[in-house]
Amino acid sequence: MILTVTLNTALDITYRVGTLRPHGSHRVSEVAERPGGKGLNVARVLAALGHEVTATGFAGGGTGRLLREQLARTHGVVDALLPVGGATRRTVAVVDGTTGDTTQLNEPGPVITPAEWSAFLEAYENRVHSAAAVALCGSLPPGVPVGAYAQLVRTARAAGVPVLLDTSGEPLRRGVAARPDMVKPNADELAELTGSHEPLGATRDARRRGAHTVIASLGARGLLAVNAEGHWRAAPPHRLRGNPTGAGDSAVAGLLSGLVDGLPWPARLARAVALSTATVLAPAAGEFDRRAYEELLGRVTVTEEANAA
């Protein structure tokens, strides 16, 4: 079982319009709603790959009820979300059908009380011992301590369970110091963490701060991974236009899937890039175009330079 943690779950709403014009009125051609937040997107992709997944975090209010009703229809994902008094947030992605660009609007999330956070910590510690791997994903809702991910990383490591961290800002900085097995920042998050905009140097710097393996998401250029064995660059065969929302979450799912399947690093990265790229072609986050994934898997380019970390 793979355990995904989404402390700030969301109901993801995707609108498609012909052309997005500031200050204008738009007719929406297509609407999609999905249980969201980074960890839930990861969970859906992992389940689609055939893995057993348990999704935990918080859900509350009418939005939370709707999210859980939809999550219950997702085959292979066990709902272990904890109820809270506040209402789960919504995120709105507006996709411009002409350019393929996406505009994202994210609500902050409910305020989590100290009692709700304590209940989560107890439930997490009980579940983590039976997990093959843990993914800690996304932003922190108001009320959750800024060092929350560092605490969850230490709990997983104490249980001997590999843990991947995918967050940003101060939660990422503190989480990296707790020595997670993997972190997956994007280029902006990596630059904020290290102060460097040069991907390889910044990735090595992030390793020195505590992470065992750093996988930097470079958008359409793929992934850069650095650990004690060396560094690898994995890139799709060509750039595809579409909705990039959730592409990074699919990369996380590919990394975790490769980990539990015992794949070597080049194969893990190829799986992650193929899934990420196939997600750009899907209509909503937490989904991927399976035909595109299978076709891309053998065409991802992975280059390695050993002993570079």
Side-chain angles (χ1 to χ4, degrees):
M1 179 269 287
I2 299 174
L3 180 65
T4 68
V5 175
T6 314
L7 297 176
N8 208 6
T9 57
L11 183 66
D12 284 344
I13 304 167
T14 302
Y15 292 144
R16 291 184 177 271
V17 300
T19 302
L20 182 61
R21 301 180 304 277
H23 316 299
S25 177
H26 299 79
R27 185 174 298 277
V28 176
S29 62
E30 183 181 340
V31 180
E33 287 186 351
R34 297 288 188 278
K38 295 176 73 63
L40 292 187
N41 294 338
V42 171
R44 276 201 304 276
V45 174
L46 284 169
L49 292 172
H51 295 282
E52 295 181 0
V53 188
T54 296
T56 190
F58 298 115
T63 310
R65 286 193 296 274
L66 180 57
L67 181 152
R68 298 186 80 166
E69 288 171 4
Q70 295 192 8
L71 188 61
R73 298 195 289 269
T74 304
H75 177 73
V77 178
V78 174
D79 177 359
L81 298 171
L82 274 69
V84 293
T88 294
R89 66 187 178 130
R90 295 161 296 182
T91 68
V92 178
V94 183
V95 181
D96 186 314
T98 301
T99 65
D101 292 338
T102 301
T103 299
Q104 191 82 17
L105 305 172
N106 297 328
E107 296 178 357
V111 176
I112 305 301
T113 68
E116 289 167 343
W117 176 239
S118 294
F120 174 82
L121 289 176
E122 182 178 355
Y124 173 79
E125 187 165 0
N126 289 337
R127 288 187 180 277
V128 76
H129 291 277
S130 59
V134 176
L136 307 174
C137 303
S139 62
L140 299 179
V144 171
V146 71
Y149 282 136
Q151 186 173 3
L152 299 182
V153 167
R154 288 192 292 268
T155 299
R157 288 185 55 79
V161 177
V163 56
L164 183 153
L165 176 63
D166 184 14
T167 188
S168 61
E170 186 65 12
L172 174 61
R173 188 184 71 80
R174 297 197 187 195
V176 165
R179 303 186 63 78
D181 296 271
M182 292 179 280
V183 294
K184 194 213 67 64
N186 62 33
D188 290 339
E189 293 161 351
L190 188 61
E192 182 182 7
L193 174 67
T194 66
S196 172
H197 291 273
E198 196 286 304
L200 181 57
T203 306
R204 289 172 173 168
D205 186 357
R207 273 206 75 239
R208 287 191 290 269
R209 293 167 185 261
H212 292 269
T213 299
V214 180
I215 306 103
S217 177
L218 305 179
R221 293 180 293 154
L223 299 174
L224 169 65
V226 174
N227 60 24
E229 301 169 38
H231 83 253
W232 298 263
R233 295 179 185 267
H238 52 82
R239 182 168 184 166
L240 299 173
R241 290 179 58 184
N243 179 8
T245 305
D249 305 329
S250 290
V252 169
L255 293 167
L256 290 170
S257 173
L259 169 68
V260 299
D261 284 348
L263 298 182
W265 272 106
R268 292 189 208 180
L269 295 169
R271 181 176 291 184
V273 169
L275 281 170
S276 179
T277 307
T279 297
V280 173
L281 301 175
E287 299 180 357
F288 63 95
D289 185 310
R290 185 171 291 275
R291 179 177 296 179
Y293 163 65
E294 293 172 351
E295 188 265 336
L296 286 162
L297 189 58
R299 300 178 61 201
V300 173
T301 301
V302 182
T303 57
E304 177 180 0
E305 181 175 331
N307 303 316

